[in-house]
Amino acid sequence: MKILVVSDTHGSVKAWEDIERLFNLKEFTSIFHLGDVLYHGPRNPLPDGYDPKSLVEKLKNYRINYIRGNCDADIDLKVLSVQEMPKVTMEYFGDFSFLLVHGEVFEENDIRQFVNDTSAQFIIHGHTHIPKIEEIDGKFVLNPGSTSLPKNGAPRSVMIVEINENKLLVKFYNLDTGEVYTERTWTLSDSKLITE
């Protein structure tokens, strides 16, 4: 099982073309976009390759599971031909559980409380444009970073989750170089996550 997780394209068709250049998107079991799909947002500059209309046409070629971000509007759902875009979703891949959310909720609420209120082993969010792997109370918070407008010196990036039986591997790819710059492996043993 192989899952692609992207976030914060902010209307950059270049970002998506870079993803298409690096990966065969048809080989993924699932693709998740964690929000802020088309609009650059009032706090951001225009990203390189800003062309929401062309980005829509590219995205429509794939079956993508969207999470609604703070910059996503009702019209975005319409042009993407998406029936709904939930703010939070729970997913199960093999025996691993994931809660996916855009992440703006963490600006005003403690992420630790959010983590403790879910039974998911992994919480994946975008919004900050900063990739991370963080353990909080035995659960893991992951952020793929931004495909178009990275912050704090991070590269433009995406995250790939690979699951093989009781092993889960997460790889962060730099969209400019195509290289893996961070990875982590977990094994599920007796319902407990063990970091390798």
Side-chain angles (χ1 to χ4, degrees):
M1 189 174 290
K2 199 170 181 182
I3 300 121
L4 174 65
V5 182
V6 305
S7 191
D8 298 278
T9 46
H10 286 287
S12 173
V13 71
K14 179 192 182 313
W16 194 260
E17 287 170 345
D18 289 341
I19 293 168
E20 288 179 319
R21 181 177 45 82
L22 289 175
F23 307 105
N24 173 6
L25 297 183
K26 303 291 184 186
E27 75 178 14
F28 290 101
T29 310
S30 300
I31 300 173
F32 284 86
H33 193 306
L34 301 180
D36 288 2
V37 182
L38 301 177
Y39 178 48
H40 65 90
R43 297 185 287 192
N44 298 311
L46 287 176
D48 190 18
Y50 184 71
D51 185 351
K53 187 174 181 182
S54 294
L55 178 58
V56 165
E57 294 311 310
K58 292 264 184 195
L59 295 175
K60 282 179 159 183
N61 291 320
Y62 305 97
R63 187 175 176 273
I64 300 173
N65 302 286
Y66 293 98
I67 304 299
R68 192 169 188 150
N70 57 301
C71 291
D72 297 319
D74 290 344
I75 188 63
D76 297 350
L77 279 72
K78 185 173 183 176
V79 298
L80 287 166
S81 301
V82 175
Q83 293 294 319
E84 63 178 334
M85 199 181 277
K87 286 185 132 322
V88 179
T89 189
M90 181 79 106
E91 300 288 337
Y92 294 89
F93 302 113
D95 293 327
F96 297 93
S97 56
F98 297 83
L99 188 130
L100 295 100
V101 59
H102 179 62
E104 75 277 10
V105 65
F106 305 137
E107 287 181 12
E108 297 177 6
N109 300 286
D110 184 10
I111 193 169
R112 184 174 300 278
Q113 184 64 48
F114 191 88
V115 167
N116 289 326
D117 285 346
T118 181
S119 61
Q121 299 156 316
F122 294 90
I123 293 84
I124 305 179
H125 72 91
H127 184 64
T128 64
H129 300 206
I130 302 167
K132 76 172 171 183
I133 301 173
E134 178 183 9
E135 183 177 359
I136 299 177
D137 298 334
K139 297 176 184 178
F140 293 88
V141 179
L142 310 174
N143 187 321
S146 173
T147 61
S148 62
L149 294 167
K151 294 182 179 175
N152 286 13
R156 294 183 314 117
S157 63
V158 299
M159 182 175 77
I160 291 179
V161 178
E162 297 180 31
I163 297 170
N164 188 354
E165 295 182 1
N166 68 334
K167 286 201 180 293
L168 184 145
L169 170 64
V170 168
K171 294 180 182 178
F172 290 77
Y173 283 83
N174 181 318
L175 285 182
D176 292 313
T177 67
E179 296 174 351
V180 174
Y181 67 91
T182 300
E183 63 181 80
R184 179 86 57 93
T185 303
W186 292 269
T187 301
L188 192 59
S189 178
D190 296 326
S191 300
K192 291 188 178 180
L193 285 174
I194 300 166
T195 305
E196 295 184 10

